[in-house]
């Protein structure tokens, strides 16, 4: 059985589209800004660090000093701290989202 070879001009579809969409003298700048703002990444990293270090630190600090070796109560306190960090993250994220919505509404009012 013979197979048929497809002979192309050496350029794939993407290269042809790139050449045809941009004019020869075009000096259009590309947008290389990150999709996620830096402040959001910093907040996420901060809460990630808090979610790791605070419950573990709470457990080890409270197991002998506060609860006298009772690891059940120390584990429960670590779980409470983990939930506090999680709730704080949700509250911060919701406030940030609300501030973005209010800024968008103010821009729309000024445009009118």
């Amino acid at each position: 059985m013979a197979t048929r070879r497809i002979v192309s001009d050496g350029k794939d579809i993407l290269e042809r589209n790139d050449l045809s969409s941009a004019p020869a003298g075009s000096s259009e700048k590309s947008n290389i800004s990150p999709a996620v703002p830096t402040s959001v990444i910093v907040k996420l990293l901060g809460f990630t660090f808090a979610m790791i270090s605070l419950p573990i630190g709470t457990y080890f600090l409270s197991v002998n000093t506060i609860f006298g070796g009772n690891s059940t109560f120390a584990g429960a306190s670590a779980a409470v701290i983990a939930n506090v960090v999680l709730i704080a993250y949700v509250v911060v994220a919701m406030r940030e989202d609300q501030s973005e919505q209010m800024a968008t509404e103010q821009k729309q009012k000024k445009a009118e």
Side-chain angles (χ1 to χ4, degrees):
M1 208 192 250
T3 59
R4 189 177 201 184
R5 231 183 229 186
I6 300 173
V7 179
S8 67
D9 60 353
K11 296 180 181 178
D12 62 354
I13 294 172
L14 294 176
E15 288 176 350
R16 279 184 257 152
N17 283 341
D18 286 343
L19 294 176
S20 64
S21 65
S26 173
S27 63
E28 183 179 322
K29 293 186 178 183
S30 64
N31 184 5
I32 58 170
S33 64
V36 179
T38 306
S39 63
V40 173
I41 295 172
V42 169
K43 286 178 192 173
L44 181 62
L45 290 176
F47 277 104
T48 301
F49 178 75
M51 190 59 140
I52 293 169
S53 63
L54 289 181
I56 293 172
T58 300
Y59 174 80
F60 284 112
L61 289 175
S62 67
V63 72
N64 290 324
T65 57
I66 298 172
F67 299 116
N70 189 346
S71 62
T72 302
F73 290 142
S77 66
V80 168
I81 294 298
N83 284 316
V84 167
V85 171
L86 180 63
I87 290 168
Y89 178 72
V90 169
V91 168
V92 167
M94 289 181 70
R95 283 189 178 175
E96 182 178 318
D97 189 38
Q98 288 174 353
S99 66
E100 287 177 2
Q101 287 177 354
M102 289 178 9
T104 304
E105 288 174 1
Q106 287 177 355
K107 285 182 182 178
Q108 288 177 351
K109 287 181 182 178
K110 287 182 181 179
E112 292 175 355

